[in-house]
Amino acid sequence: MVLVSSARDYINRMLQDISGMKVLILDSQTVSVVSVVYSQSELLQKEVFLVELVDAISMSKESMSHLKAVYFLRPTSENIQHLKRQLAKPRFGEYNLFFSNMLNTTQLHILADSDEHEVVQQVQEFFADFVANEPYHFSLNTPSNYMYMLPAVIDPPNLQNYCDRIVDGVAAIFLAFKRRPVIRYSRTSDIAKRIAQEASKLMYQQESGLFDFRRTEISPLLLVIDRRDDPVTPLLNQWTYQAMVHELIGIKDNKVDLGNAGKFSKDQQEVVLSSEQDTFFKSNMYENFGDIGMSIKRMVDDFQQVAKSNQNIQTIEDMAKFVDNYPEYRKMQGNVSKHVTLVTEMSKIVEERKLMLVSQTEQELACNGGQGAAFEAVTNLLNNQSVSDIDRLRLVMLYALRYEKESPLQLMQLFNKLASRSPKYKPGLVQFLLKQAGVDRRTGDLYGNRDILNIARNMARGLKGVENVYTQHQPLLFQTMESITKGRLRDVDYPFVGNHFQQGRPQEVVIFIVGGTTYEESRCVALQNGLNSGTRFILGGSSLLNSKRFLKDLEEAQRIARSSTGVV
Amino acid sequence: MATRNRTFLFRRYRDALKSVRVPSGRSAVSDGGAMIEMADASLLKQNRSYAPLSTHDPGTSSVGTPMMGLPPAWVDVSEEIAANIQRARSKMSELSKAHAQALMPSFGDGREDQHRIEALTHEVTDLLKKSERSLRRLSAAGRAEDSTVRKNVQRSLATDLQSLSMELRRKQSMYLKRLQQQKEGSDGVDLEMTLNGMHSRSEDDDFDDFGFNEHQMAKLKKSEAFTMERDREIQQVAESVNELAQIMKDLSVLVIDQGTIVDRIDHNIQNVAASVDEGLKQLQKAERHQKQGGMVMCATVLVIMCFIMLVLLIFKAILF
């Protein structure tokens, strides 16, 4: 059960049986699917000499009959229309159509009807319908990700699209693993329930033949949960390498765009940050910021040594050795400058926004009690001139989530202060967050203060002390995973769909977070899998969040909700 | 890794629809009939296939199949390079065998092996150089439309060439090292023996005259000839290393560094899209310029002239 390799296997199989020069045609979604797991040079090795987008390919009329077209598309109606037009006037020698998900009969009919020249060689479904960012973490890059916060009545067709995309993606995951899971969802979330039920209908009724694999002793588990069960994690500042890069600069499909961050040389404006290709990143992506500095220093020292040994070339042997090692050397050089650039940029931001100070309070709010002290700390930071608007907003949100019920008066004071301090703040956003993800709406025990056992555990941790103030927060997912491995996930909170129940502990678990995952959770899953506890976890989400994206979704949802209530 | 093949169903639908559809000429011959996989291409491929192309058989060609045509000329060039690379590869394996043989202890003087190795090395280097030259031709010729395809073909071939030349160099240097080790071993013994001899003789030499005797002269000549030969050999090796380095340098421009942003598929697509957009913008600008420039100006002038003439005409009619 490794996502990256199964996606790669699909693409390999797609390309290897077709001999000769090929052109690979993708749509805007499958581009991400392919590019996170496959590289241009690997494509060239498979004799794919042209990669194009499906809408661009239909613009040009010029014939290229010496190329064979390999289409890899999502089965959307737009793509089918593009194909239809293309097949009416074929440009390429032959057409091999691969779809990333299930085609329905109508679509197949349309395609068959438009293939008058009989150029289509094969039509296949290859279920690589997920962006495998890391071995155990996928995202669906769902457009209009704010949909999950809206009630069902506001925009039914779009919500249906949103759900369909997620159900498709989750189904593809299980098809890729050749498994049929039992499905659970978090009780309080309507959207999680809906997705779980639709997935179950698809897997057990509509396409039960397709999902009829060899039975394993214990079925894997699909757990659909809602982002709003844990709104705290995407609001926190991160201090581990990967998560921090995403929080401060932004990662998209394992790429970091430094273009608007500052002036860099041309080849450093956009860099790749993939644990598959970069060994330094792989071994350091979960380390915290301080340790990263040390590791980078070591890497630079190593590099300097190599560079020095390359400088004194005296004999022919030295020369030969240098030429032999040159590609390696260049790769190393690129890597070093990439990581140095990233870390420099981040420490600049940390300095500018006083993130050390802010983050300490954030972590206090997320992990420890003490309302009075927290109020004071937040008020102080709101008064601090050098704290940026977005950080102020997040602090108030974290405070509101934590002390929602305890003292409404002080909460009101903070709202007013925030409104007066930050001119860009849209009033009511924090209240909207509370309405969406307040204590009554959440499943699970986010702050560990609902039952005696958790309270006791929290106190024990408080006595033991913490290693690092900035990384003491554990996402709710950690607790959820722990209860799954111990077989203690409560049926009341996470009910099963239909009459497919789980006996015993599952060995394979896919946790899907509607609304998006964070890299902090991804790290948590990777560490858990590293323990070899007998249960493997895979984490997936509708998108990959940092605080900026989470707040944007929240704002968008608030805007739409407000405008629609205004109409009604 | 489940997959579902819908080809069968698709074919069934297609056939069903074909019988329904009005027979609109025999526009559907292309499937299978006119396509011939080049059979000899499969002989060339070892672990990768380059050549198989669907070529057009002139015998069965019908006018109703517009999409089948001869591939552009650069395809031939790329095939030639691919064939060259294959040849070089087989020569390389021969070479490594010859290396192994030459390193084995034998009673002969190994001159024959030496010659063979030299010839083979030369041949491989030649092939690589030739491929590299034609590779450059690949980008120069042809239409502008499929330039991306050509560039990619070039890249792929360049990557191959580079890895091949790397391999060659590695083999060469390994061979040289092993050879030197062998030589050193025997030289060491030699040295000791001569040293011993010198020792014993130096005592005699004290009594001899200081001039070189005949024996010594012969020895000197021999060693001189030996040094000359050594010198030549070293020169040769250095030359071939130089040549390879040159090829490497030329190729490294073409080869993609793995793990960098250039190696990303989406990055490449976006770049193409961006440049297409830019082109479109330029075109529109040009169009606007053109409109503003010639035609519109001309028309305005003509209209104005018309008016003036008309006025003149009216004046003329009124006055006279």
Side-chain angles (χ1 to χ4, degrees):
Chain A
M1 283 232 313
V2 179
L3 293 164
V4 173
S5 57
S6 47
R8 282 180 61 87
D9 285 347
Y10 272 126
I11 297 164
N12 277 334
R13 262 179 68 180
M14 216 180 289
L15 299 174
Q16 72 190 10
D17 292 337
I18 303 160
S19 63
M21 297 195 195
K22 292 177 278 287
V23 46
L24 180 66
I25 294 153
L26 305 165
D27 65 25
S28 53
Q29 296 251 335
T30 49
V31 162
S32 307
V33 173
V34 175
S35 22
V36 288
V37 295
Y38 230 73
S39 71
Q40 183 83 9
S41 49
E42 284 169 315
L43 277 186
L44 289 181
Q45 263 175 29
K46 298 263 177 212
E47 292 177 88
V48 175
F49 293 132
L50 187 64
V51 186
E52 282 271 17
L53 286 175
V54 68
D55 38 351
I57 207 87
S58 50
M59 290 215 282
S60 168
K61 292 277 182 296
E62 187 222 353
S63 163
M64 290 187 179
S65 55
H66 52 285
L67 296 177
K68 295 174 180 171
V70 181
Y71 276 78
F72 180 53
L73 308 172
R74 296 207 73 242
T76 61
S77 51
E78 273 167 53
N79 285 337
I80 298 286
Q81 288 307 317
H82 278 302
L83 262 177
K84 193 179 158 190
R85 249 171 282 147
Q86 179 65 220
L87 288 177
K89 282 192 205 120
R91 282 178 64 195
F92 301 105
E94 62 173 64
Y95 283 75
N96 302 279
L97 310 182
F98 296 90
F99 289 94
S100 67
N101 227 308
M102 289 154 261
L103 278 170
N104 59 34
T105 331
T106 333
Q107 289 170 324
L108 209 56
H109 261 293
I110 294 174
L111 285 178
D113 190 27
S114 50
D115 187 21
E116 275 183 55
H117 301 281
E118 301 201 358
V119 282
V120 176
Q121 294 294 313
Q122 50 178 333
V123 181
Q124 302 236 37
E125 289 165 2
F126 274 34
F127 303 100
D129 206 6
F130 45 87
V131 182
N133 294 350
E134 279 154 77
Y136 300 109
H137 182 200
F138 71 94
S139 152
L140 296 179
N141 287 356
T142 325
S144 52
N145 188 39
Y146 54 84
M147 287 305 295
Y148 73 101
M149 289 194 233
L150 299 175
V153 286
I154 288 184
D155 192 357
N158 272 335
L159 191 67
Q160 187 60 46
N161 282 345
Y162 183 76
C163 287
D164 285 349
R165 174 70 191 99
I166 290 175
V167 171
D168 278 355
V170 171
I173 292 278
F174 282 97
L175 283 168
F177 294 145
K178 293 200 170 182
R179 294 274 194 284
R180 176 154 56 184
V182 296
I183 304 171
R184 305 175 77 167
Y185 58 92
S186 68
R187 176 179 52 89
T188 43
S189 164
D190 292 336
I191 186 105
K193 184 176 176 185
R194 179 170 173 181
I195 285 166
Q197 280 170 345
E198 280 181 24
S200 164
K201 207 166 113 197
L202 181 79
M203 291 174 188
Y204 287 96
Q205 290 165 26
Q206 286 165 355
E207 296 286 352
S208 63
L210 190 61
F211 279 89
D212 193 14
F213 303 112
R214 197 164 48 85
R215 282 289 169 79
T216 47
E217 220 160 272
I218 305 166
S219 303
L221 170 68
L222 166 63
L223 178 64
V224 185
I225 53 181
D226 195 307
R227 178 74 271 166
R228 288 169 291 178
D229 287 346
D230 178 8
V232 168
T233 309
L235 286 172
L236 290 175
N237 266 308
Q238 300 297 327
W239 295 96
T240 56
Y241 195 23
Q242 189 186 29
M244 199 172 169
V245 173
H246 188 49
E247 177 65 37
L248 299 182
I249 304 173
I251 303 177
K252 189 176 180 296
D253 296 340
N254 292 347
K255 266 183 325 182
V256 184
D257 188 3
L258 287 166
N260 41 17
K263 283 194 265 319
F264 299 110
S265 64
K266 207 171 174 199
D267 56 331
Q268 292 290 341
Q269 274 192 356
E270 209 178 10
V271 294
V272 182
L273 212 54
S274 154
S275 59
E276 295 293 302
Q277 289 163 345
D278 184 344
T279 46
F280 176 81
F281 184 61
K282 190 176 183 167
S283 53
N284 288 294
M285 59 201 272
Y286 301 134
E287 296 296 318
N288 68 42
F289 192 53
D291 295 341
I292 292 297
M294 299 300 284
S295 310
I296 284 197
K297 177 155 187 320
R298 230 171 298 139
M299 183 166 74
V300 170
D301 285 347
D302 285 350
F303 177 70
Q304 267 173 346
Q305 209 119 50
V306 174
K308 212 178 273 170
S309 79
N310 277 342
Q311 264 170 4
N312 49 10
I313 293 171
Q314 279 164 352
T315 60
I316 292 187
E317 261 161 55
D318 282 353
M319 199 162 81
K321 214 189 279 168
F322 171 73
V323 177
D324 268 349
N325 296 335
Y326 184 65
E328 195 65 22
Y329 172 74
R330 250 183 52 169
K331 202 173 163 187
M332 196 171 169
Q333 187 188 19
N335 219 10
V336 168
S337 66
K338 171 172 87 184
H339 289 294
V340 170
T341 312
L342 280 177
V343 170
T344 329
E345 186 58 34
M346 287 196 301
S347 57
K348 211 165 75 191
I349 296 174
V350 167
E351 189 60 31
E352 245 167 46
R353 281 167 51 182
K354 298 271 177 292
L355 286 184
M356 291 289 216
L357 206 65
V358 175
S359 181
Q360 202 172 349
T361 312
E362 281 179 2
Q363 295 279 339
E364 286 291 311
L365 281 170
C367 303
N368 305 327
Q371 187 240 342
F375 177 74
E376 203 168 308
V378 172
T379 321
N380 278 341
L381 282 172
L382 284 181
N383 285 330
N384 193 331
Q385 285 299 329
S386 48
V387 173
S388 71
D389 284 354
I390 185 169
D391 292 326
R392 285 189 182 133
L393 176 61
R394 288 193 319 197
L395 279 168
V396 174
M397 279 181 169
L398 287 169
Y399 180 87
L401 285 168
R402 175 94 214 210
Y403 304 109
E404 187 183 347
K405 301 272 164 154
E406 283 173 23
S407 72
L409 194 70
Q410 287 184 325
L411 201 56
M412 276 317 287
Q413 277 177 352
L414 283 183
F415 289 161
N416 291 337
K417 196 158 203 110
L418 181 68
S420 65
R421 282 283 168 181
S422 313
K424 269 191 282 179
Y425 167 67
K426 296 185 187 60
L429 197 61
V430 184
Q431 285 91 328
F432 184 70
L433 176 71
L434 287 182
K435 218 166 79 190
Q436 286 288 330
V439 66
D440 307 328
R441 297 288 302 265
R442 297 196 292 259
T443 311
D445 194 359
L446 178 58
Y447 291 110
N449 51 10
R450 283 196 198 171
D451 65 38
I452 295 291
L453 196 77
N454 280 339
I455 291 174
R457 196 186 303 156
N458 256 3
M459 276 174 69
R461 205 180 61 174
L463 288 177
K464 224 174 8 182
V466 280
E467 271 179 37
N468 188 334
V469 226
Y470 300 109
T471 53
Q472 54 181 316
H473 174 251
Q474 290 275 19
L476 179 67
L477 190 73
F478 180 75
Q479 280 177 40
T480 316
M481 285 197 296
E482 209 172 42
S483 357
I484 291 174
T485 46
K486 287 180 181 155
R488 276 207 314 240
L489 200 64
R490 289 183 5 187
D491 290 2
V492 191
D493 283 340
Y494 299 96
F496 289 92
V497 180
N499 50 0
H500 309 279
F501 295 110
Q502 188 119 48
Q503 281 98 29
R505 280 191 310 146
Q507 287 167 344
E508 292 157 337
V509 182
V510 175
I511 300 177
F512 190 89
I513 305 183
V514 184
T517 53
T518 62
Y519 278 113
E520 185 183 348
E521 282 153 341
S522 155
R523 170 173 180 266
C524 194
V525 169
L527 295 182
Q528 176 73 30
N529 282 337
L531 292 178
N532 283 329
S533 61
T535 309
R536 286 227 162 259
F537 289 95
I538 282 185
L539 179 68
S542 51
S543 111
L544 244 170
L545 296 175
N546 52 14
S547 61
K548 222 178 281 165
R549 236 175 267 178
F550 180 65
L551 289 176
K552 219 171 95 188
D553 284 348
L554 198 67
E555 264 174 47
E556 192 67 13
Q558 189 203 14
R559 193 178 60 77
I560 291 174
R562 188 181 282 171
S563 67
S564 73
T565 49
V567 171
V568 174
Chain B
M1 215 179 70
T3 62
R4 183 159 62 168
N5 198 338
R6 307 298 289 264
T7 317
F8 181 70
L9 199 62
F10 177 80
R11 288 241 166 90
R12 220 174 59 204
Y13 286 157
R14 191 166 67 181
D15 293 345
L17 283 164
K18 198 163 67 177
S19 56
V20 173
R21 202 178 290 143
V22 194
S24 59
R26 17 187 247 85
S27 64
V29 215
S30 71
D31 196 22
M35 209 130 59
I36 291 176
E37 294 266 310
M38 259 165 69
D40 56 340
S42 59
L43 294 177
L44 296 172
K45 59 183 165 189
Q46 199 171 20
N47 51 0
R48 287 182 46 189
S49 54
Y50 290 100
L53 297 165
S54 49
T55 46
H56 195 143
D57 191 345
T60 54
S61 72
S62 60
V63 200
T65 55
M67 63 283 183
M68 296 312 262
L70 274 173
W74 58 263
V75 176
D76 294 337
V77 180
S78 80
E79 270 172 59
E80 186 192 311
I81 299 171
N84 272 344
I85 290 177
Q86 289 304 341
R87 273 230 303 281
R89 205 166 261 155
S90 65
K91 283 268 162 10
M92 287 268 285
S93 58
E94 252 177 77
L95 183 68
S96 60
K97 258 184 230 149
H99 277 171
Q101 214 171 34
L103 285 172
M104 268 197 298
S106 66
F107 290 113
D109 59 351
R111 194 150 289 250
E112 215 170 291
D113 282 342
Q114 212 64 41
H115 271 299
R116 225 179 80 190
I117 286 172
E118 242 167 62
L120 274 172
T121 314
H122 201 68
E123 225 168 316
V124 174
T125 322
D126 252 12
L127 274 174
L128 290 182
K129 264 198 294 190
K130 212 163 83 188
S131 312
E132 200 256 327
R133 262 202 307 279
S134 7
L135 200 63
R136 242 179 278 172
R137 222 169 61 216
L138 198 62
S139 64
R143 294 165 302 175
E145 283 94 344
D146 50 4
S147 63
T148 336
V149 183
R150 257 182 299 133
K151 210 166 73 197
N152 280 331
V153 172
Q154 203 179 13
R155 266 192 190 150
S156 147
L157 289 173
T159 315
D160 261 23
L161 265 181
Q162 198 186 35
S163 70
L164 207 64
S165 64
M166 290 269 277
E167 204 182 325
L168 177 65
R169 226 193 0 254
R170 225 185 359 257
K171 272 195 181 129
Q172 245 175 334
S173 64
M174 208 151 77
Y175 171 67
L176 281 180
K177 215 187 273 169
R178 296 270 291 277
L179 206 66
Q180 219 154 42
Q181 270 171 8
Q182 274 187 1
K183 278 243 174 77
E184 246 168 42
S186 53
D187 271 1
V189 178
D190 260 3
L191 208 69
E192 223 171 306
M193 269 163 65
T194 39
L195 222 67
N196 281 345
M198 291 260 265
H199 255 299
S200 56
R201 214 172 305 143
S202 60
E203 286 158 18
D204 310 7
D205 274 357
D206 283 341
F207 305 105
D208 259 345
D209 54 353
F210 286 96
F212 289 131
N213 61 23
E214 219 168 283
H215 180 66
Q216 275 171 326
M217 278 302 276
K219 225 177 172 184
L220 200 69
K221 277 228 174 88
K222 208 170 147 194
S223 71
E224 209 165 73
F226 186 69
T227 3
M228 290 270 275
E229 201 182 334
R230 254 296 174 72
D231 207 40
R232 200 172 49 84
E233 262 174 30
I234 287 175
Q235 202 106 41
Q236 234 172 23
V237 170
E239 225 165 75
S240 89
V241 165
N242 251 342
E243 260 166 24
L244 283 176
Q246 187 60 37
I247 292 180
M248 273 286 276
K249 216 179 75 189
D250 292 344
L251 287 181
S252 69
V253 184
L254 294 170
V255 173
I256 306 176
D257 285 335
Q258 265 161 39
T260 57
I261 192 74
V262 195
D263 205 14
R264 285 280 296 211
I265 296 161
D266 45 4
H267 176 80
N268 280 306
I269 289 187
Q270 276 158 16
N271 258 10
V272 169
S275 53
V276 165
D277 271 358
E278 190 58 29
L280 192 70
K281 244 180 244 163
Q282 293 292 337
L283 255 175
Q284 278 164 348
K285 212 161 135 193
E287 203 186 352
R288 243 193 342 266
H289 265 292
Q290 210 168 27
K291 260 188 197 152
Q292 278 171 359
M295 296 286 270
V296 175
M297 195 69 141
C298 209
T300 350
V301 169
L302 278 178
V303 167
I304 293 169
M305 288 299 274
C306 275
F307 261 105
I308 294 171
M309 289 307 167
L310 201 72
V311 169
L312 279 181
L313 208 67
I314 291 167
F315 266 117
K316 198 177 153 197
I318 291 170
L319 290 180
F320 306 104

